[in-house]
Amino acid sequence: MSLATLDTSQHPNLPASAATLFSAKAAKKLSFEQIASHIGRNEVAAAAIFYGQAKASKEDILKLSEVLDIPEAQLEEQLGGFPDRGRTVEMPPKEPLIYRLYEIVQNYGYAYKAVLNEKFGDGIMSAISFSTKVEKETDADGNNWAVITLRGKWLPFSRF
Amino acid sequence: MSLATLDTSQHPNLPASAATLFSAKAAKKLSFEQIASHIGRNEVAAAAIFYGQAKASKEDILKLSEVLDIPEAQLEEQLGGFPDRGRTVEMPPKEPLIYRLYEIVQNYGYAYKAVLNEKFGDGIMSAISFSTKVEKETDADGNNWAVITLRGKWLPFSRF
Amino acid sequence: MSLATLDTSQHPNLPASAATLFSAKAAKKLSFEQIASHIGRNEVAAAAIFYGQAKASKEDILKLSEVLDIPEAQLEEQLGGFPDRGRTVEMPPKEPLIYRLYEIVQNYGYAYKAVLNEKFGDGIMSAISFSTKVEKETDADGNNWAVITLRGKWLPFSRF
Amino acid sequence: MSLATLDTSQHPNLPASAATLFSAKAAKKLSFEQIASHIGRNEVAAAAIFYGQAKASKEDILKLSEVLDIPEAQLEEQLGGFPDRGRTVEMPPKEPLIYRLYEIVQNYGYAYKAVLNEKFGDGIMSAISFSTKVEKETDADGNNWAVITLRGKWLPFSRF
Amino acid sequence: MSLATLDTSQHPNLPASAATLFSAKAAKKLSFEQIASHIGRNEVAAAAIFYGQAKASKEDILKLSEVLDIPEAQLEEQLGGFPDRGRTVEMPPKEPLIYRLYEIVQNYGYAYKAVLNEKFGDGIMSAISFSTKVEKETDADGNNWAVITLRGKWLPFSRF
Amino acid sequence: MSLATLDTSQHPNLPASAATLFSAKAAKKLSFEQIASHIGRNEVAAAAIFYGQAKASKEDILKLSEVLDIPEAQLEEQLGGFPDRGRTVEMPPKEPLIYRLYEIVQNYGYAYKAVLNEKFGDGIMSAISFSTKVEKETDADGNNWAVITLRGKWLPFSRF
Amino acid sequence: MSLATLDTSQHPNLPASAATLFSAKAAKKLSFEQIASHIGRNEVAAAAIFYGQAKASKEDILKLSEVLDIPEAQLEEQLGGFPDRGRTVEMPPKEPLIYRLYEIVQNYGYAYKAVLNEKFGDGIMSAISFSTKVEKETDADGNNWAVITLRGKWLPFSRF
Amino acid sequence: MSLATLDTSQHPNLPASAATLFSAKAAKKLSFEQIASHIGRNEVAAAAIFYGQAKASKEDILKLSEVLDIPEAQLEEQLGGFPDRGRTVEMPPKEPLIYRLYEIVQNYGYAYKAVLNEKFGDGIMSAISFSTKVEKETDADGNNWAVITLRGKWLPFSRF
Amino acid sequence: MSLATLDTSQHPNLPASAATLFSAKAAKKLSFEQIASHIGRNEVAAAAIFYGQAKASKEDILKLSEVLDIPEAQLEEQLGGFPDRGRTVEMPPKEPLIYRLYEIVQNYGYAYKAVLNEKFGDGIMSAISFSTKVEKETDADGNNWAVITLRGKWLPFSRF
Amino acid sequence: MSLATLDTSQHPNLPASAATLFSAKAAKKLSFEQIASHIGRNEVAAAAIFYGQAKASKEDILKLSEVLDIPEAQLEEQLGGFPDRGRTVEMPPKEPLIYRLYEIVQNYGYAYKAVLNEKFGDGIMSAISFSTKVEKETDADGNNWAVITLRGKWLPFSRF
């Protein structure tokens, strides 16, 4: 199995923590599944921390420091602030895997809106009070299927 | 409960079928859940047909004609071709509900890619061999949560 | 005092309700303050309904019908669905008044983020569980000042 | 409580002063509230100075030098010129917190314009003769609310 | 001498008043100089009213109605609201004359800023408390020179 | 009085001469007015040379070398070629002062064109056979006004 | 030989004169060479008039009226104003023939600049005091070559 | 006479050969006319090689090495591959001289197409089987004119 | 089997011929394969004529008139000019099928260039002296494969 | 014959492996045909690996290490992760050779869609389950033709 790595020449604007974390992950040959399991978070959340897209708590930093053999002080310095999200993907995404997700939004966006509005009323599905996960299924013919679940709190528009 | 409607002055580039279908839906006061149940398809797929984002089969046309009281010949003419997908949403989406989905791709795109690559290898989750659904959950505190599931076939990059 | 009006040739993509409402408002010579007061909502919210940017409830429709002398059935048909928000302003805004608001976001965006993060932690100020108002102040020298208040629920990022 | 920090690899085009100030702030473990209180300015203005979005006066430089233990000459050199504003946020903002502010402009822009025009006449709310502040409210249910106030001088268009 | 006219097929998004005014101007064979002189405003301001870029006062409407033989009620209806400025030019301008103005901003923008900042301090030249005029000069060799004057109030950034 | 300075981290694509000139200007504590007066050019032109937007003649180089204490050979090498204009401002300008100039073009572009065409015929005001200046006026109430004059040769379109 | 025609559904923003002229040209089965020869102008200039990109003089209008059998008054009304140039091509051009010209500018732009600067000094080749022509050459092998000549007055940047 | 030079801080993405060649040209004080004459190519082509927009043959490399005193091996290494064209100009061009060429395409694009189609049929003028040259003319009044000739093979669209 | 149709509300800028041809095709229930076979051209070329992307010869018009029962004069008028290519697809394509082709160019563009340059030298594969075809293959497992062949003349860059 | 090389100053965002591989290729003077033949893959795929657009398997890495004399560990480290595709070409492509491919998609995109839909039904040609090749043909007149074949699995849209 190959592991996800980071080539900083392709991502010059990621936070310094990204280089630190990915380089330790490569040295330790750990998958996100293993890292997530160690810090007790979902593997998408774990990867999001690596890309500077999610905040690591004090405990996360401690456990990342352990599992990746990175001095805690260094991680604390690099991960102690607040994530500056949204800088990894240039939209529209050029990366084929990420483009497919974008295409789903492009094609089904209004269908989702219509169905959600009829089910919940006028509002949105939060992307903040939100969690997501990735699962793998294999069907009877041996084909693999990726299943991504998005779960967000429904926020009705305030009346004012 | 309010029903999703279509204001064609806001969507001048949707296919002619969109106006036909939404106008009949409004007249009949039917939700997508009811329509989907009648034609035996998922409600997101049903809504996608209304927006010109999914193909209606012969049977779908027959059943839509029944449930919406639209002459079958008219539907056949308007829905008989192949959808020209992707024209409903101007990207980045300005609509807040749809923007939240876009933001999820923007924020978690590389995290999904890293986790999917480690789970499945080099490839993509198909947006074509693909289905999706929307569910409503209510937690113990009475908060509603929207759950969107994306399920796509894993396609490994061919070696050549 | 002049009243805000709508020239549909400048806004071809607004919903049909916008033309209906603005045209009745002009005929009745009513300000948004008067309309808002009649329907019991904030005047920014009232104006947002006119531009198709906020949902009118059953009661709003009834009261708008009264105050503007529009048949309730017509309003019900045009306002009964869900707003398709975000289509009034082409970004970056070309309109000088709206541009100034945009410029505030552009100039102070990161300052707001830093201050909000330190005050509230990792999260966002909701634009959905949200209200806003406009006030006029006159200082000792007779200068007028516009005061816009934005009040949104703080949503912390979920840990997952 | 976490403090806002700056990762210069994410913001390569900020002025040199930004790195100087944020690095001292991190070393001193000071919040913007503390810094603002020391220099006698609003905390949003203080943060804006850090991001190169507001001018520091002679006195501000002196006090920043004190509170942050930075040689005054260095600050004088880096902050003595005129800010080159607007370079921190790439529009549309990708950062979720900042995007919400942008979305408010996008959704309510014309509603603000209509209400302001009716209240004040033909003109704009200045973003220059302008101040802003951030407040925290906690409601009876323990929910936190962010309140942002924008206060700008009303400028009528000159007749010529 | 040719007169400036409006071809509405080239400017579909101008307000209805633009067609009314330009068509009467063509019928009356009046120049902007003549119209401006009649209504007592600068000719650039007069032309700006025609393009929906400046507000006509009650008196302007009355005088435009006289000089152009347009029923006052019609003008009142079309010009009575607030201009929705900024919609005439698609930026960057494709029109060569307008592009040259844009190019001046592009080439000399920072030079203006540096000189203005040194002369006035930290602030901007207002485009709202603002007037402009166009003059024609002919030099000794018979060459014509256009002179455009921009005069705006200096607004210092507020300290807060 | 503060002096205009250059922070090269904010302007990585300016020519090498910009850093040389601005750094000497800061060391000498000279304003553009003083420099312009020394080299016998308008201060906007002087600032434009600093930003790489105008060509320095042999004599300009000699005098800049004198007044700024920069070896003439170094200036000759850095300023001896032809300016590659237009690289300082990213359009639309994010800087508020420069944006106001852009907004004037956006709002009054067609009004200028109509008035200029009626005054001069079919052609343009040159931005090359062109000069500009900045003046400061103070009115009876003590308000400052910035006056920018643009003077360009009128070029009629050739008939061919 | 086929003649160039205009399909107004593809060019909805051309001036009304374009439809008038092209439709008469099609009815008369005239080439631009024939029309240009009749009005005594270059055929590129003639075509530019048809697309609203060049001004027709009084005499041009008279002769166009003759050769195309269009009432002079109609042409006078449609062509009497000033061209609003630059609206025919959406840049970058999608049309392959026009794209090749764009590509020449993209590839050789700086080479032209370097050579022109060395030959003429600091300035530009005017696109206003400008003429152009198209010629056809056939080489010994029977291959056809298109030769486009651009001839513009050299304008040195003013010293100020 | 000034010579064209290259400031690499303004053109960070040019190939390494550009810095090598321009720096030698500056040291040798050679014009493109002199260099072109030495290598037996047109001066636009010579300049295009300097900007990485044209391929240098073995012989070109040898002669450039001679005339510029650059080790042949270094030039061979830097110029031996295939040009990656199109990276010098950011479109639309901000540089005034290059913009004028762009404007010619924008204004006369469809006129060229109409005239070329009528003269040659359905096809394009090649930008590959193509040559160009720049000439200087001085008219009776002492005005200089730049003449740019574009000569490309006519390629008819294949019928298939 | 479904047939490709055209919904003009989705393609408002196609030439008038597109509506004529597609509407006759739908009435006649003909596939592009049948039409292409009748006019003796490849089916991609036939479809390109329908979308206004290829020129129909005199003979093509005659045969299209026969097979589609359209008056020859009407087709002659609508198809007699020169195609204004490139207006069907808004780039990047939103349509999933067309996007996949775009993605191939995006992902393999430089690989194609490197391989073509090494095989043919410095030049391009013409898109004008060019033909293309689509074939269907079914493999041993019953999977269908689409095979698109692009065949273009190699054009070496001219030396000048 | 010249070989394809990489100038990293033109491609700063390619992965580190690109510099490693291209530099070894240049030192070894190997064509992609030779490299592809050594590693048993198609030459387009081989070039795609060099540009970071295709994944190298364990065996590919071993063989690349052999043929290019690069330490296997270095290649393993640089090529062991998953490609981050799509970063080589800025769309629309400025490079003339790659632009021609883009133009084919732009011109024939809908023609391909119509023909593919009629041949295969509602779906897409995969760009993932996909291979491509480049061939050279020489016709009777000695002209060279490039033939690019695209072969992708047909994926029908799932019914759900």
Side-chain angles (χ1 to χ4, degrees), chain J residues 98-109:
Chain J
I98 301 175
Y99 184 81
R100 298 307 179 275
L101 300 176
Y102 173 91
E103 188 178 83
I104 290 166
V105 175
Q106 189 170 254
N107 289 6
Y108 297 101

Side-chain angles (χ1 to χ4, degrees), chain D residues 12-17 55 80-87 89-91 127-128 157 160, chain F residues 1-5 7 9-12 88-90 94-96 98 100 103 107-108 145:
Chain D
N13 292 327
L14 290 188
S17 56
K55 182 151 176 57
F82 298 95
D84 190 356
R85 292 169 171 90
R87 295 180 168 250
V89 189
E90 204 62 46
M91 301 294 254
I128 311 295
F157 277 94
F160 64 96
Chain F
M1 193 192 77
S2 296
L3 293 177
T5 58
D7 195 318
S9 65
Q10 293 194 291
H11 289 278
T88 47
V89 189
E90 203 64 45
K94 300 187 142 194
E95 221 291 321
I98 301 174
R100 298 306 181 274
E103 189 177 82
N107 287 6
Y108 297 101
W145 294 78

Side-chain angles (χ1 to χ4, degrees), chain H residues 13-16 55 80-87 89-90, chain J residues 2-5 7 9-12 88 94-96 100 108:
Chain H
N13 293 327
L14 289 189
K55 183 152 176 53
F82 297 94
D84 190 355
R85 293 172 170 89
R87 294 182 167 248
V89 189
E90 204 63 46
Chain J
S2 297
L3 294 178
T5 58
D7 194 318
S9 65
Q10 293 193 292
H11 288 278
T88 47
K94 299 187 143 196
E95 221 290 322
R100 298 307 179 275
Y108 297 101

Side-chain angles (χ1 to χ4, degrees), chain J residues 32-99:
Chain J
F32 278 120
E33 197 174 18
Q34 293 169 311
I35 292 167
S37 147
H38 188 91
I39 64 172
R41 295 191 65 170
N42 178 282
E43 61 196 319
V44 179
I49 290 173
F50 274 59
Y51 283 106
Q53 302 295 310
K55 183 153 176 52
S57 68
K58 278 273 181 194
E59 295 70 26
D60 296 336
I61 290 175
L62 181 61
K63 288 189 175 156
L64 285 168
S65 152
E66 282 167 19
V67 73
L68 294 165
D69 253 346
I70 305 171
E72 194 184 342
Q74 182 185 352
L75 274 193
E76 182 57 41
E77 185 196 333
Q78 294 186 342
L79 291 174
F82 298 95
D84 190 356
R85 291 170 172 90
R87 295 179 166 250
T88 47
V89 190
E90 204 63 45
M91 300 295 255
K94 299 187 143 196
E95 221 290 322
L97 182 149
I98 301 175
Y99 184 81

